[in-house]
Amino acid sequence: MSFTTIPSHAPVRLYRSKLFVPGSRPALFEKAAASAADVVCLDLEDAVAPSDKDAARENIVAALNEVNWSAKTVTVRINGLDTNFCYRDVIALVERGGERLDAVMIPKVGCAADVYAIDMLIAQSSDFIGRKKKIGLEVIIETALGLANIDEIAGSSKRLESLHFGSADYAASQRMRTTNIGGGNADYVMLTDTHPGQARDRHWNDLWHYPLFKMVQAARAHGLMAIDGPFGDYGDTDGFRAQAMRTAILGCEGKWAIHPSQVALANEIYTPPKKEVERAEAILAAMKDAQANGVGAVALNGVLIDAASIRQAQTIVQQMAMIRERTGS
């Protein structure tokens, strides 16, 4: 029996969809700000060519000061610690980006020291400039080393808000025989047993189940959000939907959108279904009535409601309140 509580250091955020926008394409910033995405990530890493890194950084600094991001969460993916762009990204964002930036996303995190290094830069720059708002940290688990060290990474900083899974770089790091960014692989299958006169059925397996499950588990153990990463084929809406449904069931709160067409899909899939919301609201109403009447046990439609059911209901109702506030419905 453990009496250890799991506090959440992160602010409560709506995070169904995270739209990525290259920092080298400032013409897209206003469109992203006006989109239905819950989160916009201005990208300095993979989406920006090395020759454009400095200009992209200046574009993002200007956008943080000038664009009306309304109620959106705004983050920036910096360059990796293995580059000489990294420290300049952090200092420019903190010292010249104004107060609008919510979080810095660190790519290819391999150990807790990686997080500490960026935390230190943010802390010193924030102190130097007299920054008022605390900047959060997001990390991408996209290497075999990062997955192996995920528990120490998840507990590495009080700035840390979320863990994200990057399937493409993870596949490369593990030397997986696939070039897909998310989705399945026709050769990763099981065959049913042989029976005379019957063809053997092929059952596709999920390449990403283990790392995603492990990431969600580590996130929950440390009070963090868990966010699924990219699905590369943005023309395959069915494939996106299938993967997003799997990760939503596993416990992810949202998913990246690498194309604007994926935003509405992510918002739909990571919004709790109407039936779940209605049941959650009924559970909390039944609990309230039972408490008012001094009744110890709570039941709904002949089914006993336990403490876990109540906690699940509270989570769903809280999320729906944020969604209704954001969408006005």
Side-chain angles (χ1 to χ4, degrees), residues 41-73:
C41 183
L42 304 174
D43 193 9
L44 285 168
E45 198 214 13
D46 283 352
V48 179
S51 59
D52 293 333
K53 298 284 190 185
D54 292 337
R57 186 187 306 119
E58 294 304 310
N59 292 339
I60 289 176
V61 167
L64 290 171
N65 286 287
E66 298 167 8
V67 173
N68 179 10
W69 299 102
S70 62
K72 282 184 173 36
T73 296

Side-chain angles (χ1 to χ4, degrees), residues 14-84:
L14 192 60
Y15 219 115
R16 299 167 300 170
S17 55
K18 180 168 191 167
L19 178 61
F20 276 70
V21 185
S24 54
R25 301 187 65 186
L28 300 178
F29 294 170
E30 294 281 359
K31 293 180 180 178
S35 74
D38 292 334
V39 184
V40 171
C41 183
L42 304 174
D43 193 9
L44 285 168
E45 198 214 13
D46 283 352
V48 179
S51 59
D52 293 333
K53 298 284 190 185
D54 292 337
R57 186 187 306 119
E58 294 304 310
N59 292 339
I60 289 176
V61 167
L64 290 171
N65 286 287
E66 298 167 8
V67 173
N68 179 10
W69 299 102
S70 62
K72 282 184 173 36
T73 296
V74 181
T75 76
V76 176
R77 178 166 67 170
I78 61 173
N79 288 284
L81 281 87
D82 57 339
T83 74
N84 61 20

Side-chain angles (χ1 to χ4, degrees), residues 212-244:
L212 275 163
F213 186 93
K214 191 172 182 180
M215 184 193 77
V216 174
Q217 186 179 60
R220 296 304 178 220
H222 291 273
L224 307 175
M225 291 182 287
I227 309 298
D228 188 17
F231 186 84
D233 187 355
Y234 55 80
D236 181 6
T237 58
D238 289 338
F240 181 97
R241 183 182 296 277
Q243 177 159 318

